[in-house]
Amino acid sequence: MDEEKLEQIGALPKVELHLHIEGGAPPKFIRGLAQEKSVDLTGVFQDDGSYAYRDFVHFLSVYEAATQVLKTPEDYARLTTAVLEECAASGVVYAETFISPDFCGGRDVGAWREYLHAMQEAADRAEAQMGIILRGIVTCIRHFGPHKAKETALCAAETAGDWIVGFGMGGDENQGRQRDFAYSFDMAREAGLRLTTHAGEWRGAQEVREAVEDLRVERIGHGVRCIEDLALVDDLAEKGITLEVCPGSNVTLGVYPSLRQHPIEKLMERGVKVTVSTDDPPFFHTTMRDEFVNLSKTFGWGVEEFTALNQSALDAAFCDEATRKTIQSRLEAK
Ligand code: MCF
Ligand code: ZN
């Protein structure tokens, strides 16, 4: 692929469905807040200033350690601005972000509303200044257990609307089962929220099947390990379930040894709805632009393939129809 073509692909407008808000924090931003608040972040950064972690479980604890500096709604407003600046610089026109009442007010509904208000105001400002549109997915954390997830689901149900559009789960897939969280997902569904859960990143195809059957989600975070059971892959294709695939994250965390060996192309060829996201971009040394360019270099994809990926993402976005139309016209205008 020649340089000009790669440049063109990097410059395409993009839709991103899988982005954890604290995971999008530039390390400099977190270091700055730590200094302001005199928080000791020993062990969070490497000598070169990037986030330090050895493996997935360590990544989860470093993520939580970095999040300690985010103490107030105002901190989350600043974080939202910093994350959206990075997204917009990468050509993202619409993003959905995972936000968690665990970190924003300790799952207290009143406090959660204040954090949410601050993030939404920051997102409105970013939309006015940079044109980027953001929506939120309230997210429970699997390794915090089902009881805390219920409190999180209550926060989600209380604030469901045209900005909080979904409910999801992230965290350590090796703890518990999807069905342990069915009560919370049912509560969110009844409040009108759309559903997604992380599955099939660290555990195999069975985990993806359980996510679909036990939580009745319409999207899956990662989901890539479904490739280990082709009958399941066909089932996902038939049901129209969308995978929020994060190739750079998977390679950096060691789910696959290289992008070449990543199943994204096989999944698409077999008819599964696939989208591309960054997950926690600075943790994984990536951006949406990098994801597009790297996929193009590895699989030889051109504008047509990336246009299809964007369209799958927009079709699976949890926003309302008026917003979808606005984004559609932005994708077509460029
Ligand atoms: O997708 C990656 C890796 N797999 C699982 N979970 C997470 C990922 N990035 C963040 N998370 C989790 C993590 O537990 O989501 C939470 C973090 O605390 C934040 S949700 C706003
Ligand atoms: Zn994730």
Side-chain angles (χ1 to χ4, degrees):
M1 184 89 37
D2 58 54
E3 279 305 314
E4 201 178 316
K5 193 84 198 236
L6 287 176
E7 187 116 338
Q8 187 191 2
I9 282 156
L12 288 171
K14 302 169 187 75
V15 174
E16 171 157 45
L17 301 182
H18 189 120
L19 172 68
H20 300 260
I21 196 143
E22 300 88 0
K28 239 173 111 177
F29 173 83
I30 295 292
R31 265 197 305 277
L33 271 185
Q35 226 163 26
E36 275 177 37
K37 294 167 190 278
S38 306
V39 176
D40 179 13
L41 286 186
T42 305
V44 167
F45 300 108
Q46 306 195 70
D47 292 345
D48 69 3
S50 62
Y51 291 111
Y53 55 91
R54 292 180 297 276
D55 53 26
F56 172 57
V57 172
H58 191 218
F59 158 78
L60 292 174
S61 74
V62 169
Y63 187 112
E64 284 163 29
T67 301
Q68 289 172 71
V69 305
L70 297 157
K71 291 181 185 291
T72 66
E74 173 57 20
D75 295 338
Y76 267 87
R78 288 165 68 185
L79 171 66
T80 304
T81 305
V83 171
L84 287 176
E85 280 169 356
E86 296 292 323
C87 289
S90 219
V92 175
V93 294
Y94 175 78
E96 288 178 8
T97 190
F98 298 120
I99 47 184
S100 176
D102 291 284
F103 302 132
C104 301
R107 298 176 304 282
D108 173 83
V109 176
W112 165 244
R113 282 187 198 283
E114 289 177 29
Y115 278 82
L116 193 55
H117 182 70
M119 286 186 269
Q120 229 178 309
E121 268 192 355
D124 288 348
R125 276 196 302 276
E127 185 174 337
Q129 285 165 12
M130 301 180 274
I132 184 168
I133 298 176
L134 183 71
R135 294 291 181 265
I137 299 176
V138 177
T139 305
C140 63
I141 298 177
R142 185 160 169 167
H143 54 275
F144 290 180
H147 179 74
K148 287 182 177 163
K150 281 184 195 171
E151 295 177 359
T152 299
L154 185 64
C155 289
E158 289 288 329
T159 53
D162 54 9
W163 202 82
I164 290 295
V165 291
F167 182 72
M169 177 162 68
D172 189 353
E173 199 181 344
N174 288 310
Q175 310 281 324
R177 304 287 287 271
Q178 298 282 355
R179 64 166 176 262
D180 302 338
F181 300 87
Y183 182 97
S184 298
F185 277 74
D186 286 346
M187 197 197 310
R189 183 187 304 102
E190 276 162 29
L193 291 164
R194 314 272 299 269
L195 305 177
T196 176
T197 185
H198 284 55
E201 180 191 19
W202 299 102
R203 294 176 70 184
Q206 182 59 20
E207 186 70 24
V208 177
R209 196 178 286 288
E210 288 179 14
V212 174
E213 288 174 2
D214 298 341
L215 300 185
R216 292 162 51 205
V217 294
E218 57 182 291
R219 291 189 347 213
I220 307 245
H222 302 289
V224 286
R225 302 271 306 271
C226 70
I227 198 72
E228 293 159 25
D229 176 351
L230 292 181
L232 171 64
V233 173
D234 293 344
D235 211 29
L236 295 178
E238 197 183 316
K239 289 193 165 91
I241 296 203
T242 296
L243 301 187
E244 304 155 9
V245 178
C246 307
S249 159
N250 292 157
V251 172
T252 308
L253 282 176
V255 180
Y256 295 102
S258 71
L259 198 49
R260 227 322 85 237
Q261 283 151 288
H262 193 284
I264 185 166
E265 191 171 53
K266 289 196 197 91
L267 291 167
M268 281 165 76
E269 282 169 1
R270 225 175 152 97
V272 180
K273 290 186 177 164
V274 164
T275 63
V276 169
S277 295
T278 56
D279 210 3
D280 303 286
F283 278 89
F284 305 137
H285 311 285
T286 189
T287 63
M288 275 297 273
R289 186 188 301 269
D290 290 346
E291 294 292 330
F292 273 38
V293 168
N294 292 337
L295 286 165
S296 181
K297 281 185 186 161
T298 305
F299 297 108
W301 297 349
V303 170
E304 203 181 314
E305 283 86 353
F306 290 103
T307 304
L309 282 168
N310 272 332
Q311 193 60 49
S312 295
L314 183 55
D315 293 346
F318 289 162
C319 60
D320 60 31
E321 293 316 309
T323 309
R324 202 184 316 277
K325 262 193 160 164
T326 305
I327 302 154
Q328 185 80 56
S329 63
R330 290 190 193 164
L331 286 180
E332 284 163 11
K334 310 238 170 150

